[in-house]
Amino acid sequence: MGQARPDTRLKIQGAATVLFRRNGYSGTGLKRIATEAEAPFGSIYHFFPGGKQQLAEEVIRTSGAEYGQMVLALLDSVPDPVESVVHAFQAAADHLTATDYADACPIATVALEVAGTDEVLRVATAEVFAGWVGAGEQWFARWVSDQDAARSLAYSMIMILEGAFVLSRAARDPEPLRVAGRSMAELLRTAIDRAGRRPNR
Amino acid sequence: MGQARPDTRLKIQGAATVLFRRNGYSGTGLKRIATEAEAPFGSIYHFFPGGKQQLAEEVIRTSGAEYGQMVLALLDSVPDPVESVVHAFQAAADHLTATDYADACPIATVALEVAGTDEVLRVATAEVFAGWVGAGEQWFARWVSDQDAARSLAYSMIMILEGAFVLSRAARDPEPLRVAGRSMAELLRTAIDRAGRRPNR
DNA sequence: GTCTATAGATTGATAGAC
DNA sequence: GTCTATCAATCTATAGAC
């Protein structure tokens, strides 16, 4: 009676998002996804006729977009940009330790796995990253007038964050993420200083 | 006659190194490794009684150490440290494109895959990264007297390199690696400047 | 030590009853 | 739309002939 209508399709996508993020693409079986989603196995192919690939593509695009928005919202929650960067990396570190080093980037593991083996999924990950770079570029452009510099900062923040996730998860230690935050703050400070001294590079 | 004695064990380890690097741990089957190594399947368990895990652990430690030494040699091939960093990232970009975006970091994909699922392999990747950080710290300490600053630079270089590999492989574009090189050079320049102005932080 | 055959579990995917 | 049964392939791992 009035059960919350959990929506099988969403439950499957949600379980797949968690499992792909934590165990990767090859490391996650459809059977496990169905079990974790408390959904019948056949429902996967009912809602995702393209099978594992289609499910993964939707997971990549959806969770990628959500994660990008989450990070942007985090950056906007602190007024000073340099402090904001440090705060965002600290928040990532806190979340990582709070989830026992499970929840880092939602798509990085899959991105590395499929880069050379599945063209559809590779393009999906590339487009997610491109979206992040574009959004980050706009954010940094608020503090750095030179568009090229803003774009480089966006690239660098995403890259050092991804690398920090790799090292922090491997070592089960949040320290790499904190170091990454300080380095990124340093880069931003330098860019802002330079813009002040000689506008437009 | 006098055939080069290719050493079955080495052939297996070599094939596994290539396949783990390109397709990941879960994505690489032992059958495929045996085929690629032109070795009988049973030889894998003869030389690696611990099975896939033991083989992977040896691959992680060996290829990790080799890669670290290779990068250090690359850094030492250019006298000026800032130029050297840019040069090293450019070399990584060249190698990546030359191998059709297959050969990036030898252990990053596996590191992310096993971080939450295989404690033995997680520790192996963590120790490889720790070795890189230590070696990098010593290298940067030649130009930056503050040991903490040298350590942060080593961390940052490894992290931004790893992140750049993720983005470059996903986009099939060497540009992220070049941006990463410039950012890392910028960080080093700043650290050297600061050390000059106020020694020991 | 080399190599084959195969066990036993699990994979992605499909068919078809309900 | 839901769910079960099953297929063919592949996985890791082992047994045992040579």
Side-chain angles (χ1 to χ4, degrees):
Chain A
M1 280 220 228
Q3 189 180 350
R5 178 78 171 97
D7 198 26
T8 303
R9 196 196 146 96
L10 268 182
K11 285 202 299 182
I12 291 170
Q13 190 167 330
T17 301
V18 171
L19 289 169
F20 286 151
R21 191 209 280 236
R22 301 189 176 184
N23 305 330
Y25 182 69
S26 307
T28 303
L30 294 182
K31 292 236 170 76
R32 175 98 191 272
I33 292 174
T35 303
E36 216 81 15
E38 297 178 78
F41 181 77
S43 294
I44 293 181
Y45 283 90
H46 175 71
F47 291 110
F48 304 90
K52 192 180 190 183
Q53 190 191 49
Q54 183 192 345
L55 173 57
E57 186 180 4
E58 293 200 24
V59 165
I60 289 166
R61 295 188 186 278
T62 302
S63 67
E66 282 174 5
Y67 191 74
Q69 287 168 1
M70 191 263 281
V71 172
L72 266 194
L74 200 58
L75 287 172
D76 282 333
S77 69
V78 176
D80 177 73
V82 176
E83 284 178 27
S84 175
V85 165
V86 173
H87 173 259
F89 276 79
Q90 182 58 49
D94 292 342
H95 185 68
L96 194 63
T97 55
T99 59
D100 198 32
Y101 297 93
D103 281 5
C105 174
I107 69 164
T109 309
V110 176
L112 285 178
E113 284 183 280
V114 304
T117 55
D118 190 311
E119 199 55 12
V120 171
L121 299 184
R122 179 193 69 76
V123 170
T125 61
E127 291 180 2
V128 168
F129 288 134
W132 293 357
V133 171
E137 179 181 348
Q138 288 191 324
W139 189 82
F140 282 112
R142 285 199 250 160
W143 325 102
V144 179
S145 58
D146 180 5
Q147 199 72 13
D148 281 353
R151 188 165 187 78
S152 287
L153 286 168
Y155 260 119
S156 297
M157 188 168 76
I158 295 164
M159 293 189 291
I160 205 167
L161 176 66
E162 292 292 355
F165 277 143
V166 175
L167 266 65
S168 278
R169 287 194 72 200
R172 292 182 66 85
D173 178 0
E175 180 62 13
L177 273 165
R178 283 196 292 264
V179 172
R182 287 196 293 269
S183 289
M184 195 55 223
E186 180 80 48
L187 275 177
L188 177 55
R189 207 179 295 126
T190 305
I192 291 175
D193 283 0
R194 202 197 317 284
R197 286 208 312 275
R198 31 168 161 142
N200 274 1
R201 189 155 187 79
Chain B
M1 305 207 212
Q3 188 179 348
R5 177 78 170 98
D7 199 31
T8 303
R9 197 196 147 95
L10 269 183
K11 285 202 299 182
I12 292 171
Q13 190 167 330
T17 301
V18 171
L19 289 170
F20 286 151
R21 189 208 281 235
R22 301 189 175 183
N23 304 331
Y25 182 68
S26 307
T28 302
L30 294 183
K31 288 237 172 75
R32 176 97 192 274
I33 292 174
T35 304
E36 216 81 16
E38 297 178 79
F41 181 78
S43 295
I44 293 181
Y45 283 90
H46 175 72
F47 291 109
F48 304 90
K52 192 181 189 181
Q53 190 190 50
Q54 182 191 345
L55 173 56
E57 186 180 5
E58 293 200 25
V59 165
I60 288 166
R61 294 189 187 278
T62 303
S63 67
E66 283 174 4
Y67 192 74
Q69 288 168 0
M70 191 264 283
V71 171
L72 266 196
L74 200 58
L75 287 172
D76 281 333
S77 68
V78 176
D80 178 74
V82 176
E83 283 177 29
S84 176
V85 165
V86 173
H87 173 259
F89 277 79
Q90 182 59 49
D94 291 343
H95 184 68
L96 193 64
T97 55
T99 58
D100 198 32
Y101 297 93
D103 281 4
C105 174
I107 69 164
T109 309
V110 176
L112 285 178
E113 283 182 282
V114 304
T117 56
D118 190 312
E119 201 54 12
V120 170
L121 298 185
R122 179 194 70 75
V123 170
T125 61
E127 291 180 1
V128 167
F129 288 134
W132 293 358
V133 172
E137 179 180 349
Q138 287 191 323
W139 189 82
F140 281 112
R142 285 198 250 160
W143 325 102
V144 179
S145 58
D146 179 6
Q147 199 73 11
D148 281 354
R151 187 164 188 79
S152 287
L153 286 168
Y155 260 119
S156 297
M157 188 169 76
I158 294 163
M159 293 189 290
I160 205 168
L161 176 66
E162 292 292 355
F165 276 143
V166 176
L167 267 65
S168 278
R169 285 193 75 200
R172 291 183 66 85
D173 178 0
E175 181 63 12
L177 274 164
R178 283 196 292 265
V179 173
R182 289 197 293 267
S183 290
M184 195 54 223
E186 180 80 49
L187 276 177
L188 177 55
R189 207 179 295 126
T190 305
I192 291 176
D193 282 0
R194 201 198 315 285
R197 287 207 313 273
R198 31 169 162 144
N200 274 0
R201 189 162 191 78

